[in-house]
Amino acid sequence: MNDQHWGPSISADIVVIGGGTAGIGFVASLLKRDPALNITVIEPSAQHYYQPAWTLVGGGAYDVKDTVRPMSKVMPRQATWIQAAVTGIDPDTRQLTLNDQRTVTYQNLIVCPGLRLAWEKIEGLQESLGQHGVTSNYSYQHAQYTWDQVQKLRGGKALFTQPAMPIKCAGAPQKALYLSCDHWRKNAALNNINVEFNLAGAALFGVATFVPPLMKYIEKYNAQLAFNSNLVKVDGPAKTAWFEVKDADGNVTREAKTFDLLHVVPPQVSPDFIAQSPLADAAGWCEVNPHSLQHPRYPEVFGLGDICGTTNAKTAAAVRKQVVVVAENLLALRKHQPLPLKYDGYGSCPLTVEKGKVILAEFGYGGKLLPTFALDATVPRRSAWFLKATLLPWFYWNGMLKGREWLTGLSKVD
């Protein structure tokens, strides 16, 4: 249902900010529990994207057209969709301001607008993207360009970048490298290509258990690692990228590197309307209790997905578990009952180390391994590739966005 006939001020019951993976998954789950609930979703985009497959698009293993559907097709029918953007939140009066000057009051608020890709923070990037060999799998518009450029490259320098954390799917920057290198290796071009991975941080992956098996692939592809190296400027026509490099003493120097292919992962930030609101933590993310996902100062507010100021990996798999926690906890809150569920920080990163093989990294808070299957998680497997490339996309559209909660076993509060 859309909202064409409403006036400047809207009074709503449960309001969900965001129609991405978290928003639609949550609304579908909530309505499964109680179809009579009055839920309003505020989402400006007319399209809904399955972003986890963009890495596969950039590796020539997925059709980009299969990663998008109209928002109207995934929005649960019982929900009211306001196609607008939130520009301000006043949690003290329980009121939202929209970009069309309307206001919305709520009884309960679910904050899940996702994060914002800050392309503009890298000088010259926006002018160069999609040409001169400058690309990004973090963009629907450019994932296919990645694959086009990978196929064309027979020699030269390929740079892959990763900005400072937090970012969505922390493994995606290196997945682009692995799938590209695998293609070059199979086509006898890898020996002629100098591959370098520039990471703003000091570790290849945040969970130490997975670093040794990943390093085997870095060595197999003869890729160089440049730690503490953060992309700050791009000149596409000159095929040059500048990095701020930090040494052991914390001194920062600027270093220019030429390239034939540059795969960029942009810095990622909280949207301004969250960062500048009373809901934000010191870093600008939505503050929530890491286990209940309830806001510590505004109990009628819950956070969900990439916007949360929690330490879990920002992935669709994390959302899959969070949705159940917030749905159950919200319904308990509305009945004045104790919140029954807690989130353990679960996230999953299917690391596509070569075309046809994946290391399935599943972990929770503190890097605790939380495998779904009783297999050695550090071993690359064809079964995990099938899960990533075939099963999960199907499950996303036909399960998660329809409120089906498979593989979401959760612990009750002790």
Side-chain angles (χ1 to χ4, degrees):
M1 183 166 81
N2 221 313
D3 65 304
Q4 280 85 351
H5 306 296
W6 284 354
S9 184
I10 301 158
S11 180
D13 185 8
I14 299 168
V15 172
V16 178
I17 302 176
T21 300
I24 301 296
F26 169 76
V27 172
S29 280
L30 201 58
L31 287 167
K32 269 273 163 87
R33 287 168 168 77
D34 185 350
L37 287 170
N38 180 347
I39 305 173
T40 299
V41 181
I42 304 174
E43 167 55 57
S45 177
Q47 308 294 332
H48 182 101
Y49 298 98
Y50 180 63
Q51 297 175 38
W54 291 348
T55 301
L56 298 175
V57 173
Y62 210 86
D63 188 336
V64 72
K65 293 193 293 294
D66 292 336
T67 70
V68 61
R69 293 191 183 177
M71 188 67 69
S72 58
K73 292 280 193 286
V74 301
M75 185 69 61
R77 282 194 307 278
Q78 302 103 303
T80 298
W81 174 24
I82 300 178
Q83 193 173 354
V86 176
T87 54
I89 301 177
D90 183 351
D92 293 306
T93 60
R94 300 193 186 187
Q95 184 166 291
L96 310 175
T97 308
L98 307 184
N99 61 345
D100 56 12
Q101 308 311 310
R102 288 185 291 179
T103 58
V104 180
T105 56
Y106 59 83
Q107 296 303 310
N108 292 107
L109 180 66
I110 312 300
V111 181
C112 49
L115 48 68
R116 186 176 75 77
L117 303 178
W119 305 97
E120 78 287 351
K121 286 183 179 283
I122 298 171
E123 185 184 339
L125 175 59
Q126 286 168 299
E127 300 90 310
S128 298
L129 259 181
Q131 50 189 339
H132 314 299
V134 181
T135 189
S136 180
N137 289 344
Y138 274 69
S139 159
Y140 175 79
Q141 286 77 18
H142 301 110
Q144 181 60 44
Y145 182 68
T146 300
W147 178 232
D148 295 342
Q149 293 302 298
V150 166
Q151 292 176 95
K152 277 184 194 164
L153 195 65
R154 304 294 301 173
K157 183 80 177 274
L159 298 178
F160 295 82
T161 77
Q162 177 171 307
M165 294 294 158
I167 62 170
K168 62 169 81 183
C169 191
Q174 58 189 288
K175 295 184 206 180
L177 180 151
Y178 299 138
L179 289 178
S180 301
C181 286
D182 184 51
H183 174 79
W184 294 327
R185 186 180 63 84
K186 288 171 179 167
N187 288 273
L190 188 57
N191 289 342
N192 304 318
I193 299 171
N194 182 356
V195 179
E196 188 177 282
F197 188 24
N198 286 263
L199 306 93
L204 180 60
F205 195 69
V207 181
T209 305
F210 297 103
V211 172
L214 293 173
M215 278 305 300
K216 285 183 186 168
Y217 276 92
I218 292 291
E219 290 156 13
K220 176 180 180 176
Y221 298 136
N222 199 24
Q224 302 303 305
L225 297 178
F227 293 113
N228 301 306
S229 179
N230 187 40
L231 179 67
V232 292
K233 182 181 175 182
V234 176
D235 184 335
K239 290 193 172 285
T240 305
W242 285 264
F243 296 83
E244 286 188 348
V245 182
K246 190 188 294 182
D247 67 15
D249 299 320
N251 303 310
V252 176
T253 54
R254 187 169 281 214
E255 194 176 321
K257 300 183 181 185
T258 58
F259 62 82
D260 296 284
L261 170 70
L262 174 65
H263 181 270
V264 180
V265 177
Q268 296 168 35
V269 299
S270 172
D272 286 349
F273 74 89
I274 297 291
Q276 295 162 10
S277 80
L279 297 179
D281 62 16
W285 303 93
C286 183
E287 188 175 356
V288 293
N289 176 294
H291 298 292
S292 70
L293 302 177
Q294 183 182 37
H295 198 281
R297 296 184 304 283
Y298 299 97
E300 69 281 359
V301 177
F302 289 84
L304 194 56
D306 293 350
I307 192 60
C308 293
T310 45
T311 58
N312 60 277
K314 295 183 184 295
T315 67
V319 168
R320 183 164 53 85
K321 300 266 186 161
Q322 291 175 356
V323 155
V324 184
V325 173
V326 176
E328 290 285 342
N329 287 353
L330 173 66
L331 292 177
L333 178 78
R334 288 167 65 90
K335 293 171 185 166
H336 308 289
Q337 295 169 351
L339 308 190
L341 290 188
K342 60 180 179 183
Y343 171 58
D344 57 8
Y346 174 87
S348 167
C349 194
L351 294 149
T352 48
V353 288
E354 57 183 283
K355 192 170 181 178
K357 281 195 178 174
V358 161
I359 292 173
L360 185 58
E362 297 177 284
F363 48 90
Y365 288 137
K368 181 184 177 186
L369 300 190
L370 296 171
T372 302
F373 309 103
L375 298 166
D376 182 347
T378 64
V379 176
R381 299 182 190 277
R382 293 195 179 281
S383 57
W385 174 273
F386 179 69
L387 182 76
K388 162 75 178 168
T390 305
L391 282 185
L392 287 178
W394 180 88
F395 165 70
Y396 182 81
W397 298 113
N398 300 288
M400 191 168 166
L401 298 189
K402 301 262 196 315
R404 297 188 175 99
E405 295 161 2
W406 302 324
L407 299 175
T408 54
L410 291 150
S411 53
K412 297 277 181 179
V413 172
D414 297 330

